[in-house]
Amino acid sequence: MSRMPFLKRLARDEKGSPIAEFAVVAPTMFLLIMASMDLAYRSYTTSLLEGEIQKAARDSGMEGSQDRLDAIEAKAKKQVQLIVKNATFTPLRRSYTTYLNAKPERFTDTNGNGVRDGGECFDDVNANGQWDSDPGNVGQGGANDIAAYTMTMSFPRLFPLYGMLGWPKDETITVKTYLRNQPYGAQNLPVVKQVCT
């Protein structure tokens, strides 16, 4: 039996071909796996944040909760941080007298440009004398008011692949809920006036 030179045997050897194929496929496969895990993590944290903010909003609408709003919010944040350790939160609470008032104040668009210009009449639903794109008052509001509770959460991504995919370094999620406060007293309803300034 003649011995083949080493290089000829190596050229004919097909045992190592899967390694070369794996080297071509592996980077794309790992990128897809990490991207999928990152998107699944975002979906899970969004669901978690929505649930905690819904509960916090319900607890905040109860009679006597005005003094406990910070504690209610801290509890919701703590529950989310069990999963999302280094998250930062930006809360916003606004209140409206009705669900219909949670939109820009209605105005008469005399020139038809779709923008409220000076001199065009508007319905002042929050009685502050000026047109507002968001006529809500800051805070939880009072009895029977509609409370809009918004929470924005930012946190670092799971994997450092955001640069390769053109994603930002931090993930940002915003959730919002509208709930009516308990009718534990008389609602303070401002008189809606038409203002033309």
Side-chain angles (χ1 to χ4, degrees):
M1 187 170 177
S2 65
R3 292 202 157 201
M4 249 189 257
F6 175 72
L7 291 176
K8 281 189 176 183
R9 277 186 298 150
L10 187 61
R12 288 184 169 187
D13 190 0
E14 295 180 2
K15 292 179 187 170
S17 63
I19 293 172
E21 293 168 4
F22 183 74
V24 172
V25 173
T28 305
M29 183 180 72
F30 287 135
L31 185 67
L32 285 172
I33 289 170
M34 288 190 293
S36 299
M37 289 177 68
D38 197 77
L39 292 172
Y41 185 64
R42 175 193 166 87
S43 178
Y44 177 69
T45 54
T46 301
S47 177
L48 177 67
L49 183 63
E50 284 176 346
E52 289 302 322
I53 294 308
Q54 281 281 336
K55 182 178 182 337
R58 287 191 303 272
D59 292 346
S60 300
M62 306 286 256
E63 182 177 9
S65 66
Q66 293 293 335
D67 300 334
R68 299 182 302 116
L69 292 180
D70 290 339
I72 292 168
E73 191 171 284
K75 184 179 176 186
K77 290 177 186 177
K78 184 178 178 183
Q79 289 298 318
V80 173
Q81 285 178 324
L82 291 174
I83 303 298
V84 189
K85 301 285 186 217
N86 39 6
T88 57
F89 300 91
T90 307
L92 175 65
R93 290 179 194 263
R94 295 188 75 80
S95 63
Y96 307 87
T97 53
T98 68
Y99 285 107
L100 292 175
N101 288 345
K103 62 181 181 183
E105 290 176 318
R106 192 168 55 102
F107 64 92
T108 306
D109 192 9
T110 54
N111 60 5
N113 67 352
V115 177
R116 197 262 166 188
D117 299 310
E120 293 180 332
C121 299
F122 65 93
D123 293 341
D124 188 15
V125 298
N126 59 359
N128 68 352
Q130 63 185 23
W131 182 82
D132 296 297
S133 60
D134 185 349
N137 297 313
V138 176
Q140 183 67 27
N144 225 20
D145 282 345
I146 306 304
Y149 188 23
T150 306
M151 183 67 78
T152 301
M153 178 176 74
S154 293
F155 56 95
R157 292 187 180 276
L158 274 182
F159 301 105
L161 58 88
Y162 51 85
M164 291 187 282
L165 298 175
W167 293 348
K169 180 183 175 204
D170 290 334
E171 186 79 54
T172 301
I173 299 169
T174 301
V175 299
K176 187 173 193 172
T177 185
Y178 291 88
L179 289 171
R180 184 180 293 277
N181 292 334
Q182 263 190 344
Y184 51 81
Q187 186 179 22
N188 181 16
L189 291 170
V191 177
V192 178
K193 295 180 182 175
Q194 190 171 61
V195 179
C196 299
T197 58

